Amino acid sequence: MRFETIAISKPLILFVAWCSLSCAVFGATDEPQITLTQKLTLARLVDIAAAQYPIDIEYAPSDLKESVTIRSAKPYTRHELWILTHQMLEANGLTSVVAPGDRSLYRIVKIKEAAAHTEPRKSLPIPEPGFAVLKYSSEHIESSELVNALGELEPPLELLRADPILGFVNVGVLTRRHPAIRAHMATLDELASHTMTELVELRHTCAQTAVTAINSYVDTLGSRRPSGTIQLGPMADSLHLTTTHEQRQRWIDLITMIDTPGVISTRPYVLPDIYDQSVIDLITQLGKDTTEESSSGQWRIVPNTITHTLVITASENEHQRIADLVEQINAVPPGQRRVTRSFVVQNRNAIDLRQSLETLLGIRAGADSGSATDEELDSRPEGSAVRQRDNQRDLVMSVDPELNMIIAIGPPSLVGQLEELIERMDIRQPQVQIELMLVSLSEGESKDLGVELRAELGDSGTLVGLGSIFGLSSITPGSSAAAATGTGGTAVVLDPGDYSVVVKALERVSRGRSVSKANALVNNNESASVSNTVQQPFSTTTLDDGDSITGFGGSESAGTQISVTPQIAEGDFLVLTYDVSLSAFIGEATSEGLPPPSQNTSISSVATIPDGYAIVVGGLELFTDSDADTKTPFLGDIPIISNLFKSQTESLSTTKFYLFIRASVLRSPSFERLKYISDRAIEESDSEIGWPTVKPLIIR
């Protein structure tokens, strides 16, 4: 690459002098104005900008071959032209730097290589180069911490290097970014001015060991490292802490963790029965040291149920005590390792819970079970803690129904398992409010139309009565008068001496709705049943010595029976298992001693619904359509006049049944929602129920 040093030519000097003279003569501003109106190369633009100061500038002509066209409505000052030139250079990946040395020589280089072609400076020269490496310092921040803070800026800096000897941080970046970096530095320095220093005394560890251990641990934290430093104090047992008020406690916790009386270690201890909490409490009470030689806040004891071990973190003195205690505990014969515990069951039935525990533990436990037989022992799985008779490993459980309590006697491991299972299983389940509404819709329509005729014929003393009678009136073939009975539109023609005619027409239209509601509160996975039935008795007749005796033969039930079992699922959903049975009597008994006929419809299913929503069950529809004609033979079949000798009945009925089931979960642990529902129901029906009022009684 060939570099050229461009010297300012004589014509250019004359041009600048002429511009200055023109400004003086015509009253223009002191700063020269440059107008760019023609197309020029990037090299020519650099030459014109450099000539305005003037400065020496060096570049490779091959890097500045690009052509630019700049047309502006007003001329540029030399500062504006310098900025414009660097904008064009940056667009091509180039910038200007001040070359090392005393001479102010500017050089056009690539931005990525700019840091290698300049040297750190305390301030920027005039004109400012496009890229510069400046020295930054802080009164309250160490150079290494300052590097970490500036390294998080975006976009990344081209050069960031700390000088720990002089306490500077060299920052290389495009010059236009330096004001923002300087402002960021001021903010960091202002925050750092709130730091504090503190002298921390050590009780168990020398200062040099503590500093080494703390710094080694802090280095592993990475970005989570607390701000500040820890150094040796003026005395052999002291540390000099420099940090902010917010980070002070983190450093104090680290110093406390390191400043321990001795080596803290974690060791496992094998115990045959570690499930019993009393064993853990005993080791904690007798093994933990409360003197200065203790493990302080690092004491830990964790039971490992898989390997039957206790994992303990303690000091050497404490480990020695624990080893002696474990040896004494293991020396107890297996047959004597039995404890007695009682568990009060708060939310479930103790008898039902005991049955579940027996299934989970794989044993047949209980005071009423007696000793296990050889066949029962052989049927238990290999390795079971309750299989061997010789060392009396059976667990005995008994239930006190009055106190709802489970009493267990057995080895500590099984009793510990039992306690853990009871704690997990004896929890109060949310309740579910079940609301049921049964709706019955009925529609009916019937038409009755009939004609009754009666005539008397007499000849030579012989009287003959004829009639077409269907029960629409009170006439008979031999009656002398006629009258309509029942309801409906009637027309009667009376002539007792000759004939009688009765015409009757009736139409019935009916619509009805029946609504039944019921509420039930039920626990999770429990059933709620609602029954509304009618008892229909029937009689029987028996013969006793020729006498007939009529007695009660029994009764049949018909009505509505509903059973709902809710299960609370995840995500505020409910799984409803419901069974609906609808039955009704549909007529009279066909013979004496038999129950009346009935019709039964049942629906059973399982559905999942959101909390508080309702489902529609049923939609059962009963449709009845009947036509009946009662007529006189032969005469009722003659066209036109057949209607005079018949009675017609038409009926149409429809019945629909709907069942709505709504379930809502009452999750409040203090039953606030249940109290609200109860209070609202009492207020609505208080006038009818007449709840008694409780008044205080003053005793003198």
Side-chain angles (χ1 to χ4, degrees):
M1 178 182 295
R2 183 174 63 87
F3 289 87
E4 292 184 0
T5 301
I6 307 300
I8 303 176
S9 60
K10 183 177 181 180
L12 188 58
I13 295 177
L14 293 176
F15 173 78
V16 174
W18 180 82
C19 291
S20 302
L21 181 60
S22 298
C23 293
V25 172
F26 296 99
T29 59
D30 295 336
E31 189 172 0
Q33 303 289 314
I34 301 95
T35 302
L36 302 175
T37 59
Q38 72 278 10
K39 184 176 181 180
L40 69 166
T41 63
L42 193 57
R44 180 58 179 164
L45 181 62
V46 171
D47 293 342
I48 297 174
Q52 306 307 311
Y53 282 95
I55 57 173
D56 294 336
I57 192 163
E58 183 180 79
Y59 59 84
S62 59
D63 294 337
L64 305 179
K65 296 187 299 182
E66 296 291 332
S67 298
V68 294
T69 301
I70 303 176
R71 300 185 183 277
S72 177
K74 61 180 182 178
Y76 294 92
T77 65
R78 65 176 185 175
H79 178 67
E80 292 173 346
L81 181 60
W82 185 255
I83 294 176
L84 175 65
T85 302
H86 281 81
Q87 290 176 348
M88 298 301 173
L89 290 173
E90 288 184 25
N92 291 273
L94 302 172
T95 188
S96 65
V97 297
V98 177
D102 296 334
R103 182 183 176 186
S104 297
L105 174 64
Y106 288 72
R107 181 175 295 164
I108 305 299
V109 296
K110 295 180 179 179
I111 296 177
K112 295 182 179 181
E113 303 173 357
H117 290 276
T118 187
E119 60 184 1
R121 306 173 66 92
K122 292 185 178 181
S123 61
L124 292 171
I126 298 176
E128 296 178 354
F131 184 96
V133 178
L134 296 183
K135 297 180 179 180
Y136 288 88
S137 62
S138 174
E139 297 181 17
H140 307 94
I141 305 177
E142 296 290 337
S143 59
S144 58
E145 297 180 6
L146 192 57
V147 168
N148 294 332
L150 296 178
E152 298 177 358
L153 294 177
E154 292 293 339
L157 307 179
E158 297 293 334
L159 175 66
L160 182 61
R161 184 182 302 116
D163 189 344
I165 298 177
L166 300 178
F168 291 105
V169 174
N170 298 328
V171 179
V173 73
L174 293 174
T175 304
R176 58 182 173 80
R177 293 188 59 191
H178 277 293
I181 296 175
R182 194 174 291 108
H184 186 63
M185 282 281 301
T187 302
L188 294 177
D189 198 50
E190 175 66 19
L191 294 176
S193 64
H194 300 290
T195 58
M196 49 143 330
T197 59
E198 182 178 352
L199 193 65
V200 182
E201 295 184 0
L202 301 176
R203 300 179 59 186
H204 306 290
T205 309
C206 68
Q208 184 62 50
T209 303
V211 169
T212 303
I214 292 174
N215 289 332
S216 299
Y217 177 77
V218 168
D219 291 340
T220 62
L221 299 179
S223 60
R224 297 183 293 107
R225 184 185 190 277
S227 60
T229 58
I230 190 78
Q231 297 175 347
L232 296 175
M235 296 176 289
D237 58 349
S238 65
L239 298 177
H240 189 271
L241 173 63
T242 303
T243 184
T244 62
H245 292 279
E246 293 77 8
Q247 298 292 327
R248 175 186 176 277
Q249 190 57 45
R250 292 187 62 188
W251 284 104
I252 296 299
D253 293 340
L254 290 175
I255 295 173
T256 303
M257 182 181 67
I258 299 300
D259 187 23
T260 55
V263 179
I264 304 300
S265 59
T266 302
R267 301 176 187 176
Y269 293 89
V270 179
L271 285 171
D273 301 302
I274 66 169
Y275 289 98
D276 189 15
Q277 185 62 35
S278 62
V279 177
I280 299 177
D281 295 340
L282 177 65
I283 294 177
T284 302
Q285 183 178 1
L286 300 180
K288 187 176 181 180
D289 194 355
T290 57
T291 64
E292 294 185 358
E293 300 298 324
S294 67
S295 58
S296 186
Q298 299 187 62
W299 168 272
R300 295 289 185 275
I301 178 169
V302 179
N304 188 337
T305 58
I306 299 177
T307 59
H308 288 265
T309 57
L310 287 177
V311 181
I312 303 176
T313 301
S315 64
E316 288 297 328
N317 293 336
E318 290 171 330
H319 277 301
Q320 185 61 42
R321 291 186 178 188
I322 296 170
D324 295 339
L325 286 173
V326 171
E327 184 178 357
Q328 296 176 14
I329 294 173
N330 289 333
V332 178
Q336 300 180 12
R337 297 172 185 166
R338 300 176 67 82
V339 295
T340 301
R341 297 287 299 276
S342 61
F343 306 97
V344 178
V345 183
Q346 302 289 342
N347 303 289
R348 298 185 58 180
N349 183 277
I351 297 177
D352 297 338
L353 182 58
R354 187 189 73 169
Q355 295 176 355
S356 300
L357 293 172
E358 292 174 356
T359 303
L360 291 174
L361 294 175
I363 60 175
R364 187 166 73 90
D368 54 347
S369 62
S371 302
T373 62
D374 294 335
E375 293 77 7
E376 292 174 344
L377 291 173
D378 293 338
S379 64
R380 294 174 181 174
E382 292 291 339
S384 173
V386 294
R387 187 175 186 272
Q388 300 179 13
R389 178 201 299 273
D390 297 337
N391 54 7
Q392 299 180 0
R393 301 287 289 177
D394 284 351
L395 174 67
V396 178
M397 283 193 296
S398 180
V399 174
D400 187 337
E402 295 183 358
L403 299 178
N404 203 39
M405 177 187 295
I406 295 178
I407 303 172
I409 302 176
S413 60
L414 290 180
V415 175
Q417 287 185 11
L418 184 66
E419 180 181 9
E420 184 177 348
L421 288 174
I422 292 176
E423 182 178 356
R424 293 184 179 182
M425 299 173 65
D426 183 26
I427 59 176
R428 185 173 62 197
Q429 292 287 325
Q431 293 179 304
V432 181
Q433 180 77 16
I434 302 294
E435 299 175 72
L436 305 174
M437 183 171 65
L438 179 63
V439 180
S440 175
L441 304 177
S442 61
E443 294 181 359
E445 182 178 357
S446 64
K447 295 180 181 180
D448 295 330
L449 179 62
V451 178
E452 288 188 346
L453 303 176
R454 185 197 67 82
E456 292 182 356
L457 301 177
D459 186 15
S460 302
T462 301
L463 182 64
V464 179
L466 300 177
S468 176
I469 301 171
F470 304 104
L472 303 178
S473 65
S474 61
I475 66 173
T476 62
S479 64
S480 59
T485 60
T487 59
T490 60
V492 181
V493 178
L494 303 175
D495 188 353
D498 195 359
Y499 65 91
S500 299
V501 178
V502 177
V503 179
K504 186 174 182 180
L506 176 65
E507 181 178 5
R508 294 186 181 91
V509 178
S510 62
R511 292 181 178 86
R513 181 180 67 174
S514 174
V515 179
S516 301
K517 295 182 179 180
N519 293 334
L521 184 65
V522 60
N523 287 334
N524 185 29
N525 287 319
E526 298 292 341
S527 298
S529 299
V530 176
S531 178
N532 184 13
T533 60
V534 176
Q535 298 286 337
Q536 179 67 41
F538 57 91
S539 62
T540 58
T541 302
T542 59
L543 295 177
D544 186 7
D545 296 333
D547 298 331
S548 61
I549 301 175
T550 302
F552 178 72
S555 62
E556 280 291 316
S557 299
T560 304
Q561 293 181 342
I562 304 173
S563 176
V564 181
T565 303
Q567 178 184 352
I568 302 175
E570 185 179 2
D572 289 337
F573 285 93
L574 283 162
V575 179
L576 293 184
T577 302
Y578 57 88
D579 187 356
V580 181
S581 177
L582 304 175
S583 59
F585 298 111
I586 59 175
E588 299 294 334
T590 57
S591 61
E592 186 179 357
L594 295 180
S598 61
Q599 183 180 28
N600 183 44
T601 302
S602 61
I603 301 175
S604 300
S605 184
V606 179
T608 302
I609 64 172
D611 180 18
Y613 282 71
I615 60 174
V616 181
V617 181
L620 178 65
E621 182 174 352
L622 302 177
F623 180 79
T624 304
D625 186 7
S626 63
D627 294 331
D629 290 344
T630 304
K631 60 185 178 179
T632 302
F634 305 112
L635 296 178
D637 296 329
I638 300 174
I640 301 176
I641 66 172
S642 60
N643 292 327
L644 298 176
F645 301 95
K646 67 172 61 175
S647 174
Q648 299 176 346
T649 301
E650 297 180 3
S651 63
L652 177 66
S653 64
T654 303
T655 303
K656 298 180 181 179
F657 296 94
Y658 295 95
L659 174 62
F660 300 88
I661 303 177
R662 181 166 65 182
S664 303
V665 182
L666 307 183
R667 299 184 183 275
S668 175
S670 301
F671 301 100
E672 284 86 356
R673 186 176 177 186
L674 178 60
K675 295 176 183 177
Y676 169 75
I677 295 174
S678 301
D679 293 342
R680 187 179 62 179
I682 293 175
E683 290 176 1
E684 292 177 353
S685 57
D686 186 44
S687 58
E688 300 178 1
I689 298 178
W691 290 86
T693 303
V694 179
K695 296 182 179 180
L697 177 63
I698 300 177
I699 302 176
R700 300 182 183 276

